[in-house]
Amino acid sequence: MKTLLFIYNPHAGKGKIQLCLGSVVEQFHKNGYLPTLYATQGPVWAAAALSRQYDHLVCCGGDGTLSEVVTGLQDRERPVTLGYIPAGTTNDFSKTLELPGDDMARAAELAVTGYPQDCDVGRVNGNHLFSYVAAFGIFTETSYATPQTMKNLFGRTAYILSGIKSLATLKTYHMKVTWDGGELEDEYIYGMVSNSVSVGGFKGMNNQQVILDDGLFEVVLIRAPKNLLDLNQVAAALMSRQPNEYIASIQSASVRFQSEEPVSWTLDGEFGGEHRELTVENLPRYVTILSGKQQEEKTDENTTV
């Protein structure tokens, strides 16, 4: 029987894993794995680093848990295939992987029998990793500032309720943004570098361009509205998920942000520090995650914008 390390966050979402643990472990046994369970009590990356002693690794929790596990795989000498059971509030990245967030037994089955999906990972300033998004500006701080109890009670609505409080004092950031072959400089209220069809529970811009292993990130920048009419046009673009003169949508393998003051960033929904300068680079096919969708045959063509 093969060995499996199961890292799970017992407090993610509404603590559903604690009620479903039996059915999850049963799926591991049915598919030939002898699991060792590790409930998160400290830095998850440390536990993930121990996974080299096992045949397979599965993690269960929110996007932050997944991010920490990926970080813990930095020193692996051999490639790793990771199973993921989404159990957080929004489970953004699981939507891209087409993993069920409402059926933990099925998710556990896919975590050991799913379809391998190579995934790019982001690296910030040469050291910090993220799985699917690095972002600054409005709403980004709510994912780590919103209390877990509020997330459990209201789900993704909690993010919106917390974020709305900041609209009255909308903060802008003067940013110079450079990427492969381009440059912009303006006042922005939001910016993100992502590799996901969903961020904060909401669908992103031009999702047809999101390819998890193409070596490219999707970059979205929202200019600061000067009046109510501008704000309405920003809202309309977000609703239609189509860029306009207020929203720039870019694809690039690397991007650099320079600001006049320290800016708070989030990495996969967790606080990522304050930076005047931040460089994001794409690490192509850094990790393989078992997904719920059979992958189409690869081609050598990548589409860029």
Side-chain angles (χ1 to χ4, degrees):
M1 184 170 277
K2 293 175 288 186
T3 59
L4 179 152
L5 176 61
F6 180 47
I7 300 173
Y8 67 98
N9 181 350
H11 306 296
K14 298 180 180 180
K16 185 177 179 181
I17 181 59
Q18 299 185 70
L19 300 176
C20 302
L21 196 55
S23 59
V24 167
V25 171
E26 181 182 3
Q27 287 296 331
F28 297 155
H29 285 152
K30 285 174 60 177
N31 287 281
Y33 287 94
L34 179 64
T36 296
L37 277 57
Y38 179 89
T40 59
Q41 302 174 37
V44 177
W45 60 265
L50 298 175
S51 65
R52 60 177 60 116
Q53 303 171 19
Y54 298 84
D55 296 314
H56 190 47
L57 172 63
V58 176
C59 72
C60 175
D63 299 309
T65 301
L66 175 63
S67 181
E68 286 195 46
V69 168
V70 169
T71 297
L73 301 177
Q74 288 189 79
D75 299 325
R76 289 281 296 220
E77 296 178 358
R78 59 190 174 93
V80 60
T81 298
L82 173 65
Y84 177 42
I85 302 175
T89 303
T90 56
N91 300 315
D92 280 317
F93 199 48
S94 70
K95 296 178 178 66
T96 308
L97 295 168
E98 298 191 13
L99 295 172
D102 55 356
D103 186 344
M104 300 203 81
R106 173 58 178 160
E109 181 183 19
L110 288 171
V112 290
T113 67
Y115 302 102
Q117 168 65 67
D118 293 330
C119 296
D120 301 340
V121 165
R123 181 163 60 193
V124 172
N125 289 347
N127 47 28
H128 299 292
L129 301 187
F130 65 88
S131 300
Y132 76 99
V133 66
F136 73 88
I138 188 169
F139 295 125
T140 57
E141 77 281 3
T142 63
S143 61
Y144 60 79
T146 305
Q148 184 66 52
T149 52
M150 189 175 179
K151 295 179 187 178
N152 291 347
L153 286 171
F154 299 107
R156 72 183 59 173
T157 307
Y159 293 121
I160 303 172
L161 293 174
S162 294
I164 286 175
K165 297 175 185 176
S166 65
L167 287 176
T169 56
L170 189 63
K171 184 171 178 56
T172 64
Y173 305 85
H174 188 89
M175 285 274 193
K176 180 180 179 181
V177 185
T178 55
W179 66 95
D180 306 332
E183 179 180 307
L184 286 172
E185 185 169 356
D186 212 324
E187 298 287 331
Y188 297 101
I189 60 171
Y190 179 79
M192 75 173 183
V193 182
S194 71
N195 195 33
S196 174
V197 300
S198 174
V199 176
F202 301 98
K203 299 295 183 182
M205 296 279 172
N206 296 329
N207 282 343
Q208 68 275 10
Q209 295 181 2
V210 177
I211 301 174
L212 294 179
D213 60 351
D214 63 353
L216 298 173
F217 284 125
E218 283 64 51
V219 183
V220 173
L221 300 166
I222 303 180
R223 288 173 46 211
K226 294 184 173 66
N227 51 52
L228 185 59
L229 179 61
D230 287 354
L231 184 60
N232 287 337
Q233 295 202 44
V234 168
L238 292 174
M239 291 290 289
S240 64
R241 303 206 300 271
Q242 291 297 323
N244 62 11
E245 61 181 301
Y246 300 96
I247 300 181
S249 181
I250 302 154
Q251 281 191 309
S252 179
S254 64
V255 59
R256 181 185 184 193
F257 297 84
Q258 295 170 281
S259 58
E260 298 174 344
E261 60 181 320
V263 175
S264 295
W265 283 78
T266 65
L267 305 179
D268 293 336
E270 304 294 332
F271 182 57
E274 294 186 336
H275 307 274
R276 282 192 174 90
E277 185 171 316
L278 185 136
T279 300
V280 179
E281 60 181 315
N282 187 292
L283 304 180
R285 302 184 179 185
Y286 185 87
V287 64
T288 301
I289 303 178
L290 297 181
S291 76
K293 178 183 179 182
Q294 187 167 8
Q295 308 308 309
E296 297 178 1
E297 192 171 327
K298 305 287 184 186
T299 67
D300 293 330
E301 297 182 1
N302 287 328
T303 301
T304 60
V305 174

